[in-house]
Amino acid sequence: MLPLSVTGVVPHRRGRVTDSTSDEILMAAYQAGNQDAFGELFARYAGRVYGFLVRRLGDVAVAEDLHQEAFLRLHRARDSYNPERPFRAWLFAIVHNLVNDSLRSRRRAPVAELLDADQSAHSEGHINLEGRINHQSPERIFAARESARALSRAVSALPSDEATVLVLARFEGLSYDEIGSVIGRSATAAKQLAYRALKRVRSELVATGHGEACR
Amino acid sequence: MTKNYTCTDYEDLLMESLSASLGRTEEMLLAQHLEQCPECRTSSAEVRASWGMLPELSAVEPRPAVYERTRAAVLQLMATEKMSAVDRKWYEVSRAPLAVLSALLVAGATLSLLSGLIWGSTLPQGHMFFCAAMYTGLLVGAFSWIYSATTVNGVHLDVAARIGVLSLAITVAAITACPQFQVLALWDSSVLGRFFSARLDAGGSSLVFGFGYGLFSGIPCRPLRREPSRRAPACQ
C-alpha cells in the first residue's frame, strides 16, 4: 500500500493503489510512473472534469473534445505538480486554462445545448431532468427544459473566472481558498466573483423571463 | 476586539454561508445584518435564488466512449514516453564511455605530438610530412570525438562525430604510408594486399588499406553515437 504521507516516502512505481489513498499521494505515484495511480485518479475525476466542462461551456460536443485534451495536459504537466498543493485545485486550474484557451481560439459565444434532447443525438445520458419531471405535464416539462437551457446559457455567458468560480463552488465543493488558487486570485476575490456571478445569472434569467425579480 | 463588517464583508459571509462553511456566530451576524440592510436583503435573495437554481445543470454523464477515448489517449502517451525513456537512458549511459575514450585520445594525441616532435626532428624532411599529418589528424579526431559526446540544446553533435571518424581514417592512412611504421609492408605481403596491388597498383592498394582501416576504427563507435529517437506524441 502506498504511504499515506505526502512528503514522507516517494511512492514506488508499482505501489498498490487503494480507494483510501489520497489524491495527492496518487498524483505523486503517477508522477513516478505508476499507471494504476493514473487509473484511480481518472476514475475519480473523469466525470467531474466532464461535468465541469459541460457546465462551463454549455456545449456537450466541445466538452467531449476537451475532456481528452484536459487529461493529456494533466499528463504533460504532471512533473510540475507539487504534492503539497491540493490535487483537485491543480487539476481544475489546468481545466480552467484549457477552457480559456478553447474560448479564445473559437472567438465565439458558447452555444448552450445542454438540454436540447431533440437536437443532440446522444443527450440521453447528459441530463437527468427527465427523472424528476417525467410525471408532470408536457407543459411543465417544456418549461423546466427551457428554464434549464436559459440557466446554462446564462452561466456560459459569464466572464470566464466568474463561471469557473461558480461551477467549482456549487458543484465541486472546493473551498474558496482552493478556487482562488485555481483562478490565480485570493479567496476573498473568489467570493466576490461568485457573488457577482450569481447576481448576473439572476439578472439574465429575469431578463429572459425565467425568474422573478426579488424584492 | 469586534470587527466592523461592511456590506462587502457580508457578501463574502453570504457566499460562505451558501457553501455551508460559515460558523454559527457569523451566520447570526449575517442574519442580523440582512434584517437591518434592505439592499443586502434584496441582493441576498437574488443570490440565493440563483444558487438554488444551479443544480438544474447537474447530473451530467458522458457517453462511455468519451471516457475510454480519453483513457486510451493518455495510456498511449504513457507507453510512448516509456519507450523514449528507455532510449534516453541508454543514450545517457553510452555517452560515458565515449567521453572517457575522447579524453584518452586527447591525452594520447598530446603525448604523441610532444614525443613525435622530438623524435621527428631527427628524421629526414619527407618523413616529417607524414608524421605531421598523423599527429594533426589524431588531434582533430580526438577533439571531434569530444564534441560528438556533447549535446547542445538537446541536439547531439553527430556531424562532429563523423568528422572525427573521417579524421581518424586520414590519420590511419598517414600512419600506414609512413615508412617508419612498416605497416604497408605487412599489408603488401598479405593476400588482400597482393590482390589489390595486382589490380590497383601499389598506390591504389595503399589507399584501400588506409581507407578500410580508418572505416574499421569508426564502425565500433557507431552504437556509441546513437541518438534517442524523437517520437511525436501520439495525441495532440
Side-chain angles (χ1 to χ4, degrees):
Chain A
M1 187 174 150
L2 289 166
L4 293 178
S5 156
V6 171
T7 54
V9 184
V10 176
H12 193 268
R13 283 172 70 90
R14 302 191 185 284
R16 241 184 72 206
V17 171
T18 67
D19 291 345
S20 61
T21 309
S22 75
D23 294 342
E24 289 72 24
I25 294 291
L26 285 173
M27 189 58 212
Y30 177 26
Q31 280 179 316
N34 188 320
Q35 201 164 306
D36 292 342
F38 163 73
E40 179 62 25
L41 281 173
F42 187 80
R44 290 182 192 182
Y45 285 95
R48 295 172 72 170
V49 167
Y50 182 80
F52 175 83
L53 289 169
V54 172
R55 290 171 188 128
R56 265 298 270 107
L57 297 163
D59 188 326
V60 169
V62 176
E64 288 188 358
D65 287 343
L66 294 188
H67 189 259
Q68 180 177 349
E69 180 58 24
F71 279 92
L72 287 175
R73 281 195 183 194
L74 166 79
H75 180 76
R76 293 189 191 110
R78 66 193 187 284
D79 289 338
S80 68
Y81 173 70
N82 175 7
E84 304 284 341
R85 190 178 169 190
F87 169 74
R88 56 184 185 168
W90 182 74
L91 169 65
F92 281 111
I94 290 173
V95 184
H96 171 64
N97 289 332
L98 174 63
V99 168
N100 285 343
D101 291 348
S102 171
L103 292 176
R104 209 175 295 124
S105 67
R106 285 163 192 273
R107 300 214 178 272
R108 65 177 175 82
V111 181
E113 58 174 279
L114 184 62
L115 295 176
D116 200 344
D118 297 332
Q119 292 177 13
S120 175
H122 50 266
S123 63
E124 292 165 289
H126 293 133
I127 196 81
N128 224 1
L129 199 57
E130 300 291 338
R132 281 185 275 144
I133 60 178
N134 59 3
H135 297 304
Q136 297 175 0
S137 65
E139 291 79 13
R140 292 198 67 173
I141 292 173
F142 179 77
R145 278 185 179 166
E146 284 300 305
S147 171
R149 287 183 65 184
L151 181 63
S152 175
R153 207 175 292 122
V155 171
S156 301
L158 287 171
S160 183
D161 282 357
E162 288 184 17
T164 290
V165 167
L166 204 55
V167 172
L168 291 180
R170 189 65 176 108
F171 296 101
E172 298 304 328
L174 267 66
S175 70
Y176 282 100
D177 278 330
E178 289 176 303
I179 295 172
S181 76
V182 168
I183 59 169
R185 301 199 194 186
S186 67
T188 305
K191 285 178 211 167
Q192 280 299 310
L193 284 174
Y195 184 86
R196 278 208 295 274
L198 288 168
K199 289 198 76 171
R200 273 191 223 264
V201 167
R202 188 67 191 165
S203 299
E204 179 66 21
L205 291 177
V206 171
T208 55
H210 292 98
E212 293 174 7
C214 297
R215 297 174 193 284
Chain B
M1 188 175 161
T2 310
K3 180 182 174 182
N4 290 322
Y5 285 102
T6 63
C7 285
T8 306
D9 292 326
Y10 284 111
E11 289 169 4
D12 291 350
L13 290 183
L14 175 63
M15 296 317 300
E16 286 188 13
S17 171
L18 290 174
S19 299
S21 55
L22 196 60
R24 196 170 172 180
T25 310
E26 287 173 317
E27 282 281 10
M28 287 173 63
L29 277 174
L30 175 63
Q32 283 173 5
H33 177 75
L34 293 180
E35 278 180 17
Q36 295 160 6
C37 179
E39 283 183 19
C40 283
R41 195 161 55 243
T42 304
S43 293
S44 167
E46 290 175 352
V47 165
R48 284 181 194 279
S50 292
W51 185 264
M53 278 191 76
L54 283 176
E56 288 184 21
L57 297 176
S58 79
V60 182
E61 283 295 330
R63 292 174 297 162
V66 174
Y67 282 175
E68 276 313 305
R69 191 184 60 177
T70 299
R71 185 201 297 269
V74 176
L75 291 179
Q76 188 184 349
L77 189 56
M78 285 174 86
T80 305
E81 288 176 352
K82 199 174 176 183
M83 287 179 67
S84 296
V86 170
D87 281 356
R88 205 176 301 121
K89 193 174 177 184
W90 160 241
Y91 172 64
E92 294 299 327
V93 169
S94 73
R95 284 178 58 192
L98 188 59
V100 170
L101 192 60
S102 300
L104 288 174
L105 271 171
V106 169
T110 308
L111 288 172
S112 298
L113 183 60
L114 289 174
S115 58
L117 284 174
I118 298 166
W119 174 61
S121 63
T122 63
L123 294 176
Q125 284 294 315
H127 292 172
M128 275 295 287
F129 169 77
F130 291 114
C131 290
M134 179 181 75
Y135 298 137
T136 308
L138 197 57
L139 271 179
V140 172
F143 280 110
S144 300
W145 276 59
I146 290 180
Y147 291 135
S148 76
T150 309
T151 301
V152 177
N153 294 331
V155 178
H156 180 52
L157 299 178
D158 193 43
V159 175
R162 289 175 193 186
I163 292 171
V165 172
L166 192 62
S167 302
L168 281 174
I170 292 168
T171 303
V172 169
I175 293 170
T176 306
C178 182
Q180 295 297 320
F181 291 92
Q182 301 295 318
V183 181
L184 268 179
L186 290 172
W187 166 254
D188 286 341
S189 63
S190 69
V191 177
L192 278 176
R194 284 201 300 275
F195 174 80
F196 281 109
S197 292
R199 281 156 184 79
L200 303 173
D201 209 347
S205 174
S206 302
L207 198 64
V208 168
F209 175 65
F211 192 67
Y213 196 8
L215 280 183
F216 178 76
S217 66
I219 289 168
C221 308
R222 175 107 188 121
L224 299 178
R225 299 199 317 276
R226 199 174 75 142
E227 274 191 281
S229 58
R230 294 167 188 276
R231 294 185 181 87
C235 306
Q236 293 292 336

